[in-house]
Amino acid sequence: VRNPRRVRILLIGAGTLGRRFCGLIARRQDDCVDRYGIELRLVGVADSQGAALDANGLDGVAVEAIKAGGGSVAELLTVGQMGMTGLELLSSVEGDILCEASPVNLALEGEPGISHIRRALELGLHVSTPNKGPIVLAYRELETLAQRRGKQLRFDGTVAGGLPAIALGARDLRGAVILKIESVPNLTTGFVLEQLAAGAEWPDAVQSARMAGVLEGDGAWDLDGWDTAAKLVILAQSVLNVDACLDDVPRQGISGSDGRWLRASRSEGIVRLLASAVREEMGSYRLDVRPTVLPPTHPLGRLGDRQMGIVYHTDAFGTIASIIEEPTPMPSAATMLRDLLEIYCG
Ligand SMILES: NC(=O)c1ccc[n+]([C@@H]2O[C@H](COP(=O)([O-])OP(=O)(O)OC[C@H]3O[C@@H](n4cnc5c(N)ncnc54)[C@H](OP(=O)(O)O)[C@@H]3O)[C@@H](O)[C@H]2O)c1
């Protein structure tokens, strides 16, 4: 491609996903020029310590390496700025898209993510984020702002990791009425439930999940079903077009699950923390999160312990199921590239 279109990328949050995204876009440079006519240029990255910026382009592989080694992007020679915040970065270098990959922080009302996204949209940037916090808490506000500015707010990484769960429902099922969504969008609970069903006691199952790198912190966000409920709220808002908030979702997590029930259920199928949305008369949806036995005949009845999935039951397109195996966080990180290409290549 002779004159590729340059896309200047700002990234806030360079942890598990953000740093992998930096490496990925560095490695996909030539491919994106050849296949899509897009030149990816990483012009700024912020983490909790500071930022690095260069309008001529940062080295994504160097960013990935310093973060993998436990350092800060602010330590990068000549381009690093210790103490620079994400908001300051947004006003310090011009960009075309913000990739926001800071922590969820629902207890902090979705901050700092909401402020980053709001500022980016106000400045006229597109936004891609795998961060559920801002979408659960401020979807309508941020989407309205994006539309007013003629920009796109995309968040395909917020539900079921790298699975294009939202795009499937919101884009590919256009023209159908969605009668029911069933989803297993959380990997941690599936992993723990499999350990329990195999005979492990609760503390050992949780410890195994921690050792396998699929559980962080005290685990309550995943194990008590908050993460699954948050993803259901996002599906309700963005795919089903209904207003929903976390408090609307009846939620039963897997904490303290009864191992005997799980083992007894084995003959019937696998147990997973299922998020469901069932259409009712008048077009509203009943939302629910609870551990559910999925028989082998169910489209999600053969999920492995590192798999997630979604089933859409529709009137016009029948039943469509989609599953992802996610042994590493790379698919989730790659959703920001997918969002970017969707914005620029349609
Ligand atoms: N991990 C997954 O598999 C996965 C999958 C789907 C969606 N997500 C979502 O994607 C987002 C990122 O996840 P992650 O696993 O990459 O999280 P993470 O490993 O905790 O990384 C978070 C990053 O945000 C930075 N950060 C924290 N506070 C900040 C602030 N005030 N300003 C700027 N940067 C700040 C951290 O800085 P330091 O590096 O200095 O600590 C870190 O680089 C989260 O919202 C998560 O829920 C994650």
Side-chain angles (χ1 to χ4, degrees):
V1 176
R2 197 164 288 178
N3 288 312
R5 180 172 185 185
R6 179 174 300 152
V7 177
R8 297 164 300 176
I9 303 166
L10 286 162
L11 172 71
I12 301 181
T16 305
L17 298 199
R19 74 175 140 89
R20 285 180 171 79
F21 172 70
C22 291
L24 177 69
I25 58 175
R27 290 189 292 274
R28 289 293 149 86
Q29 272 293 348
D30 295 347
D31 197 38
C32 283
V33 171
D34 293 346
R35 288 169 70 189
Y36 311 114
I38 298 278
E39 181 201 329
L40 303 172
R41 181 175 285 188
L42 182 66
V43 294
V45 182
D47 59 26
S48 69
Q49 306 295 308
L53 61 164
D54 186 347
N56 293 316
L58 295 164
D59 177 354
V61 173
V63 172
E64 185 180 33
I66 200 160
K67 293 306 297 177
S72 166
V73 292
E75 296 163 37
L76 286 167
L77 289 180
T78 70
V79 291
Q81 302 246 1
M82 196 56 81
M84 179 179 271
T85 65
L87 288 177
E88 286 166 353
L89 175 69
L90 280 166
S91 350
S92 304
V93 59
E94 276 187 37
D96 301 303
I97 180 168
L98 168 68
C99 295
E100 213 290 342
S102 73
V104 177
N105 285 345
L106 282 195
L108 300 175
E109 306 199 323
E111 294 294 358
I114 290 183
S115 293
H116 294 152
I117 294 174
R118 195 183 281 132
R119 177 71 60 82
L121 292 171
E122 282 166 356
L123 288 168
L125 278 72
H126 296 293
V127 173
S128 161
T129 185
N131 180 354
K132 289 165 282 284
I135 308 302
V136 168
L137 297 174
Y139 171 64
R140 295 283 171 216
E141 178 216 319
L142 297 173
E143 179 58 29
T144 304
L145 178 58
Q147 283 180 14
R148 211 176 292 139
R149 298 292 156 127
K151 296 296 155 187
Q152 290 195 42
L153 167 65
R154 304 198 73 89
F155 43 90
D156 217 9
T158 54
V159 178
L163 188 74
I166 296 173
L168 179 57
R171 186 191 62 195
D172 301 337
L173 297 180
R174 274 191 291 224
V177 173
I178 294 171
L179 305 172
K180 180 161 74 168
I181 298 177
E182 293 175 296
S183 181
V184 176
N186 175 279
L187 192 139
T188 310
T189 47
F191 188 94
V192 171
L193 286 166
E194 279 296 292
Q195 301 282 321
L196 293 170
E201 295 297 331
W202 176 260
D204 299 329
V206 170
Q207 184 57 16
S208 298
R210 223 179 275 290
M211 301 287 285
V214 298
L215 181 69
E216 284 172 5
D218 69 359
W221 169 252
D222 289 306
L223 302 176
D224 291 345
W226 290 108
D227 178 77
T228 301
K231 289 165 173 170
L232 185 58
V233 166
I234 293 173
L235 286 170
Q237 292 179 328
S238 60
V239 175
L240 302 176
N241 201 25
V242 296
D243 284 322
C245 64
L246 265 183
D247 292 338
D248 292 343
V249 182
R251 174 186 50 82
Q252 185 188 331
I254 67 159
S255 289
S257 283
D258 178 356
R260 274 173 308 178
W261 174 65
L262 287 166
R263 285 189 287 281
S265 304
R266 279 219 128 169
S267 58
E268 297 165 47
I270 60 167
V271 177
R272 286 293 181 274
L273 188 58
L274 189 74
S276 61
V278 180
R279 189 177 162 92
E280 299 180 305
E281 281 176 32
M282 313 296 290
S284 61
Y285 286 85
R286 184 161 34 84
L287 309 180
D288 189 61
V289 170
R290 69 183 59 244
T292 305
V293 180
L294 301 169
T297 49
H298 189 281
L300 303 178
R302 295 185 181 278
L303 285 184
D305 66 0
R306 287 179 187 261
Q307 292 184 332
M308 296 172 282
I310 193 160
V311 188
Y312 284 102
H313 302 260
T314 77
D315 63 344
F317 295 122
T319 299
I320 297 182
S322 182
I323 288 170
I324 186 167
E325 164 107 5
E326 192 152 323
T328 76
M330 182 49 100
S332 292
T335 60
M336 290 184 274
L337 178 58
R338 186 164 71 209
D339 278 347
L340 183 154
L341 292 173
E342 180 67 22
I343 290 169
Y344 286 95
C345 308

